[in-house]
Amino acid sequence: MNNEWIDLHVHTTASDGTVPPREIVKLAADIGLKAIAITDHDTTLGCAEAMAAAPAGLEVVPGIEISTRYHTAVHILGYYIDSSNAQLRQALDWVLNDRDRRNRLICDTMHADGLPVNYEQLKQRFGQVIGRPHFARLCVEFGLAQDVQDAFRRFVGKDCRYYSPRNFLTIEQSIALIRGAGGIPVLAHPFQYRLDDGALRELIEHCIDSGLRGMECFYSGYTEEQSRYLLSLAGEYHLLVTGGSDFHGENKSWIQLGTGTGSLQVPAALLAALREVHEAGI
Ligand code: AMP
Ligand code: ZN
Ligand code: FE
Ligand code: FE
């Protein structure tokens, strides 16, 4: 019987979500999920709080979502990672320091425009991983933009005034780091890269050559047909199957925990397969 559901793609206030880890686990238990994975952007800082607050009957998987650059932006999820792993911590520190560098440039520009921004205060308010979604929110609060989408279009999107590029780990580095930390690397939301079948296969093959173990086949907004296509690719390439909503709270208010845009259902059996591979250490 298949009536137990999970959500393996969840952001918290440790990155750009608006719901703190301890509240997300409560929410997950309230809606009857059997497991969630905490997958914040380039940080594991939300995992410990979520795991400590998890009520009986809810498994919390320590995870991450690493942003990489390929021909396009590509996100690699990692599950069951040991966040104390030295190499992983060192690499995430590098990413965070580069983010700080970039964010200070954005703050300088906003400040030069007479906007009262202070980077240290931003970190106190939003946490360690400040990103463009936060700057977008500030644009709304300052009355410059109508909403976050509008702010991305006019202020923080690529080549806009409050945009500044940052540096990324590669796919190879990210997958090696996740595996080195005992985790399972998974290609996130394959349709978000807007690749045709040939280019998507090229990406998957490149990831597999780097040590990829799984692919996210169920995702908010993906149709049954799209998921079926991804499942067939996962089967063809012998990849584990995962799925999740990409919940961000109010920062992506159209996405609900567990059910995504309404129809998402990620079977709990998928996690059992993931856990088995993790525990076997293969
Ligand atoms: P950063 O890593 O700080 O450059 O910010 C990139 C993040 O902004 C991505 O992880 C996306 O989640 C988010 N993002 C990019 N474009 C948009 C958009 N149009 N609306 C909302 N969020 C966006
Ligand atoms: Zn995000
Ligand atoms: Fe992503
Ligand atoms: Fe995500």
Side-chain angles (χ1 to χ4, degrees):
M1 209 169 59
N2 204 0
N3 58 0
E4 295 191 329
W5 313 111
I6 59 178
D7 188 337
L8 299 181
H9 193 151
V10 177
H11 295 268
T12 77
T13 45
S15 64
D16 59 346
T18 58
V19 185
R22 61 181 177 283
E23 286 178 27
I24 286 182
V25 296
K26 255 196 267 164
L27 188 57
D30 284 351
I31 61 176
L33 294 177
K34 295 296 162 192
I36 58 168
I38 303 297
T39 56
D40 278 304
H41 299 287
D42 304 319
T43 184
T44 58
L45 284 174
C47 294
E49 180 183 310
M51 291 169 86
L58 178 77
E59 178 179 352
V60 175
V61 180
I64 194 163
E65 180 176 26
I66 302 182
S67 300
T68 76
R69 272 296 175 278
Y70 183 58
H71 306 307
T72 171
V74 170
H75 290 177
I76 304 291
L77 294 158
Y79 294 113
Y80 291 112
I81 47 173
D82 168 13
S83 57
S84 69
N85 178 270
Q87 266 103 25
L88 180 66
R89 290 181 72 128
Q90 198 182 1
L92 296 180
D93 280 348
W94 175 83
V95 173
L96 197 58
N97 285 334
D98 186 69
R99 212 178 239 294
D100 278 337
R101 173 197 62 77
R102 186 282 305 260
N103 288 345
R104 286 183 203 282
L105 290 177
I106 295 176
C107 284
D108 287 349
T109 311
M110 291 182 111
H111 212 247
D113 290 349
L115 300 171
V117 288
N118 174 304
Y119 191 45
E120 301 316 318
Q121 279 172 10
L122 273 188
K123 282 195 150 186
Q124 270 168 25
R125 178 174 169 198
F126 292 121
Q128 287 306 298
V129 184
I130 303 289
R132 284 185 288 147
H134 301 105
F135 289 109
R137 206 160 134 182
L138 289 186
C139 289
V140 177
E141 288 175 11
F142 291 142
L144 295 172
Q146 282 187 343
D147 53 35
V148 167
Q149 291 305 313
D150 184 37
F152 262 93
R153 258 192 316 274
R154 297 196 293 128
F155 293 98
V156 302
K158 192 158 185 296
D159 300 326
C160 294
R161 180 149 176 86
Y162 303 139
Y163 172 82
S164 172
R166 61 186 190 89
N167 294 306
F168 295 88
L169 296 168
T170 64
I171 286 176
E172 296 93 315
Q173 287 171 324
S174 304
I175 290 176
L177 285 164
I178 289 166
R179 290 197 58 162
I184 301 176
V186 169
L187 178 63
H189 43 58
F191 287 124
Q192 303 318 97
Y193 315 127
R194 299 168 196 281
L195 305 171
D196 62 24
D197 178 71
L200 179 56
R201 282 170 181 275
E202 245 177 69
L203 169 63
I204 292 170
E205 286 164 22
H206 174 69
C207 290
I208 289 174
D209 288 344
S210 307
L212 190 78
R213 303 303 305 266
M215 186 159 73
E216 190 171 55
C217 297
F218 302 100
Y219 185 74
S220 290
Y222 286 10
T223 63
E224 250 177 69
E225 190 187 348
Q226 285 179 309
S227 287
R228 261 202 308 276
Y229 167 70
L230 293 176
L231 287 168
S232 75
L233 280 179
E236 190 182 325
Y237 286 107
H238 306 291
L239 292 168
L240 291 160
V241 172
T242 73
S245 65
D246 214 352
F247 178 74
H248 280 71
E250 286 310 305
N251 278 344
K252 289 189 182 174
S253 57
W254 58 94
I255 295 174
Q256 305 300 312
L257 188 67
T259 52
T261 50
S263 58
L264 184 72
Q265 287 185 319
V266 183
L270 297 180
L271 186 60
L274 221 62
R275 197 187 307 117
E276 215 171 278
V277 169
H278 167 66
E279 283 171 359
I282 43 179

